Amino acid sequence: MTLNFAIVLKYQDALLLGLWMTLKLTLICIVFGCVLGFLLALARTSKSRMLRALASVYVEFFRGTPVLVQLFWIFFCLPLVLGVELSNMASGVIALTLYMGAISSETFRASLKSVGREQMDACVALGLSAWTRTTSVVLPQAVLRAAPTLLSNCVSLFKESALVSAVGMADLMFVGQNISNNTARPIEVLTVVALIYFVIAFPLTRAVTVVEQRILKRLAV
């Protein structure tokens, strides 16, 4: 079989649109997932046993089940439960946000524990409200300490986003599959799709190391 990668150039616009959809989905889920993850981390470090139990069950469930199964359940089953119709975009956002919230909560929980108890005592002594204490003292330090692992989580989410093609969302993987089927050139098309994912993900994985080194140096000062 003769390989002809030039054929992929005919479909570059479609691939770019698929990539844009993938990046947009990933960014939306990163933002919502990190917010959810931080709230879950607060719940897991709460004094309330009920909050800790509920948050723990949530985290263990979404970390312990395949993302594809979660996506299928949300896309096929949740509309039957709620009695409303969900688009593949909405289903993808919900599934990946819930997953991102679960994996990032552990990151935030570890970073919250690293915030010194004396700082919390100082906040109480100064009479700061719980909201001010959380947003002005705890959150900035937690985000700083969690940054390297959060970046790794974001890279993982970017790669996991390819699963939304299974519910018909026109992301990069879905577009690539359609092009490979129509052209009967799966090797060329899917290889290019894999390279696109790699070109975006690899620099981010390298950035994790750089960010981690800088943060460790800053915290050591």
Side-chain angles (χ1 to χ4, degrees):
M1 178 181 177
T2 303
L3 298 179
N4 180 19
F5 283 90
I7 196 172
V8 180
L9 294 175
K10 297 180 181 180
Y11 301 94
Q12 60 180 341
D13 291 341
L15 289 171
L16 287 174
L17 284 174
L19 176 59
W20 164 243
M21 182 61 71
T22 293
L23 293 175
K24 182 170 69 172
L25 172 68
T26 303
L27 289 173
I28 291 172
C29 295
I30 285 173
V31 173
F32 289 143
C34 285
V35 172
L36 176 59
F38 183 71
L39 294 176
L40 285 169
L42 290 177
R44 296 196 74 184
T45 55
S46 168
K47 295 180 180 179
S48 170
R49 288 186 178 180
M50 179 66 71
L51 276 178
R52 291 201 307 270
L54 290 175
S56 296
V57 169
Y58 171 92
V59 171
E60 295 305 324
F61 176 81
F62 282 98
R63 290 178 64 203
T65 54
V67 182
L68 184 60
V69 174
Q70 299 168 18
L71 176 62
F72 277 174
W73 197 92
I74 290 170
F75 184 72
F76 292 110
C77 302
L78 191 58
L80 298 177
V81 174
L82 299 180
V84 296
E85 207 170 307
L86 289 177
S87 66
N88 47 23
M89 176 67 175
S91 299
V93 168
I94 293 171
L96 293 182
T97 295
L98 293 176
Y99 169 72
M100 182 64 179
I103 62 175
S104 63
S105 71
E106 288 298 282
T107 303
F108 280 121
R109 186 164 73 99
S111 63
L112 286 173
K113 285 187 174 181
S114 68
V115 178
R117 181 64 192 175
E118 67 278 1
Q119 297 189 47
M120 304 301 294
D121 294 337
C123 290
V124 174
L126 291 171
L128 299 180
S129 65
W131 172 257
T132 302
R133 185 166 63 242
T134 301
T135 57
S136 300
V137 178
V138 177
L139 180 59
Q141 295 185 70
V143 170
L144 181 64
R145 289 170 165 81
T149 310
L150 283 178
L151 279 176
S152 295
N153 293 343
C154 292
V155 175
S156 297
L157 186 70
F158 171 68
K159 292 183 289 186
E160 294 287 356
S161 69
L163 294 173
V164 299
S165 63
V167 294
M169 187 172 169
D171 70 324
L172 177 60
M173 188 61 203
F174 182 83
V175 172
Q177 285 177 321
N178 282 344
I179 295 173
S180 68
N181 291 336
N182 292 332
T183 60
R185 290 283 183 174
I187 295 178
E188 293 92 330
V189 176
L190 296 180
T191 298
V192 169
V193 168
L195 287 174
I196 292 173
Y197 277 105
F198 176 78
V199 166
I200 294 175
F202 181 73
L204 292 176
T205 58
R206 297 298 90 197
V208 171
T209 303
V210 175
V211 170
E212 185 173 17
Q213 290 173 348
R214 291 186 177 181
I215 289 176
L216 289 174
K217 186 182 296 185
R218 180 173 177 178
L219 291 176
V221 174

